Amino acid sequence: MNVNGRHYRTIWIEPSTEVLTIVDQAVLPHRFQTRELFSVEDVARAIRDMHVRGAGLIGATAAYGMWVAARAAARADPGGFRAQMRAAADTLRATRPTASNLAWALERMERALNGQSGPGAVAAARREAEAIADEDAEFCRRIGRHGLGLIEALARDRGGRPVHILTHCNAGWLAFVDYGSALAPVYAAHDAGIAVHVWVDETRPRNQGAALTAWELGRHGVPHDLVADNAGGHLMQHGMVDMVITGADRVTRRGDAANKIGTYLKALAARDNQVPFYVALPSSTLDFSLRDGVAEIPIEERDPAEVRMVDGETGDGRLERVRICPDSTPARNWAFDVTPGRLITGLITERGLCPATEEGVLSLYPEARV
């Protein structure tokens, strides 16, 4: 992503200091700042407290966290290296239960270490973490290319009028290492000169649409409007949405997709109004071990304070948190819901498009038939 004329990834090892560094999403859109992560505890806190978030970026951050842990373990206790690495993996795995990319990245890092210890293991951990980050960015670039064709077809049908796209939560640059999933086709279309406009759901309770997606689209110059979460059905009823594209945090082998809470309702409204509903994801988000997403995908329940409180910037530039309900009101905070594959028009992956069915998924990933 480009910020103030400089290209950033969302996570990187700073060359001058050899310190793991992230774009701190907890202060966006009011501040753009970076944060250094020095320990595996720092990395776990960054994931858990959503200084980084989004399926792909969570996975890449966990991978880099294993490199951070390897450096510390090699210095502190070479003899206990393997035990320390197992403990680090357990700490990172416990941070966010829904996104499949987290466990996928940790398993890949453990395979890369393959029982090594000491400096060799540190070097191997760095190579694999950087490979995961590079792959995440490249897969998202390909998702953009495959999704571009869908937008091009709609643009031809509309005779040059803008293609109106509704999205939910944030599945752009900030949710991955670069490019994004749901927004990658939007950026590709905009860069190709196709007129696009995005309806940005605010995405309560953490307002990732308002805070992050709107910020991204503004930086890229993509026309957009912020709308209340519950406006999507109205927009579809009145022919103001040509397609819906969302991301996902876990997708089963038969195409059921877990995404930010509220996605299922958008899919229901899209089906009722014959609006195409697509889910964009890299293969690291696929969980081939699961079939029934509603029954099998673990749904994270987060701190009720996220529902009871909102963060914002005051008129004099201070960042403040305020309560929006009576002090005695309890709250519940499920972070995700599951959209069954039957409501999804298609999946957009780095290998192309497919129906949200088991046969459709396996047509792109035949290796998962075993």
Side-chain angles (χ1 to χ4, degrees):
M1 60 181 172
N2 292 308
V3 181
N4 300 326
R6 174 183 166 182
H7 181 263
Y8 286 86
R9 284 185 166 187
T10 50
I11 187 167
W12 68 96
I13 298 172
E14 183 60 41
S16 61
T17 61
E18 289 290 291
V19 173
L20 184 64
T21 308
I22 59 170
V23 172
D24 187 351
Q25 299 186 36
V27 296
L28 285 171
H30 313 294
R31 309 278 191 275
F32 178 81
Q33 63 189 45
T34 61
R35 173 183 288 255
E36 296 180 325
L37 306 178
F38 296 98
S39 67
V40 71
E41 290 77 18
D42 287 346
V43 176
R45 189 178 304 110
I47 297 172
R48 185 174 54 251
D49 294 347
M50 297 180 73
H51 297 279
V52 295
R53 27 71 53 208
L57 181 54
I58 288 172
T61 304
Y64 276 118
M66 292 294 281
W67 168 71
V68 170
R71 288 210 304 177
R75 289 194 300 263
D77 181 15
F81 184 90
R82 295 183 188 179
Q84 291 184 64
M85 294 305 292
R86 284 194 297 271
D90 290 343
T91 296
L92 294 166
R93 191 175 283 111
T95 54
R96 302 288 305 274
T98 299
S100 62
N101 305 64
L102 176 63
W104 169 86
L106 291 172
E107 290 166 6
R108 183 164 159 177
M109 291 298 293
E110 289 167 338
R111 288 196 301 272
L113 290 172
N114 193 28
Q116 299 180 73
S117 60
V122 176
R126 179 170 182 158
R127 284 194 303 271
E128 193 66 11
E130 293 187 329
I132 287 171
D134 289 345
E135 183 181 284
D136 184 78
E138 173 59 18
F139 281 10
C140 286
R141 187 191 68 80
R142 295 182 196 175
I143 288 169
R145 185 185 68 200
H146 293 305
L148 171 61
L150 297 171
I151 300 175
E152 286 176 328
L154 286 170
R156 287 193 296 270
D157 292 343
R158 293 185 59 78
R161 290 173 295 164
V163 176
H164 296 284
I165 301 167
L166 176 74
T167 191
H168 189 66
C169 196
N170 174 262
W173 302 326
L174 292 167
F176 292 84
V177 175
D178 208 347
Y179 297 101
S181 60
L183 292 187
V186 173
Y187 292 137
H190 176 78
D191 293 347
I194 297 171
V196 292
H197 167 268
V198 181
W199 297 111
V200 180
D201 280 354
E202 59 186 344
T203 322
R204 286 281 294 146
R206 291 188 64 94
N207 295 314
Q208 294 105 321
L212 304 179
T213 297
W215 182 83
E216 278 193 35
L217 292 170
R219 291 282 171 172
H220 205 93
V222 178
H224 61 281
D225 285 288
L226 177 66
V227 295
D229 277 355
N230 290 327
H234 169 78
L235 295 173
M236 292 185 224
Q237 279 183 329
H238 290 271
M240 300 170 73
V241 178
D242 297 304
M243 68 188 305
V244 181
I245 312 178
T246 75
D249 288 81
R250 188 184 301 230
V251 176
T252 71
R253 66 186 292 124
R254 74 177 191 186
D256 299 340
N259 193 51
K260 183 57 60 181
I261 194 79
T263 304
Y264 173 48
L265 295 178
K266 298 300 184 298
L268 289 170
R271 172 58 60 91
D272 190 52
N273 292 280
Q274 295 80 54
V275 174
F277 183 100
Y278 290 93
V279 173
L281 69 149
S283 52
S284 54
T285 301
L286 286 164
D287 187 340
F288 295 108
S289 71
L290 303 183
R291 281 188 166 83
D292 187 339
V294 174
E296 297 181 274
I297 294 178
I299 299 298
E300 176 183 3
E301 186 170 359
R302 294 181 58 81
D303 186 347
E306 293 179 351
V307 176
R308 301 176 72 251
M309 312 289 285
V310 293
D311 297 317
E313 186 176 40
T314 64
D316 59 1
R318 289 178 293 112
L319 301 185
E320 294 284 355
R321 172 168 291 189
V322 298
R323 179 167 43 81
I324 60 171
C325 63
D327 187 43
S328 60
T329 300
R332 299 289 297 273
N333 185 16
W334 291 277
F336 303 93
D337 59 25
V338 175
T339 300
R342 61 183 169 79
L343 297 177
I344 299 171
T345 305
L347 305 176
I348 311 171
T349 82
E350 80 277 0
R351 294 190 186 180
L353 282 72
C354 71
T357 63
E358 185 161 0
E359 201 52 43
V361 171
L362 295 180
S363 71
L364 291 183
Y365 300 93
E367 65 271 25
R369 290 184 183 275
V370 179

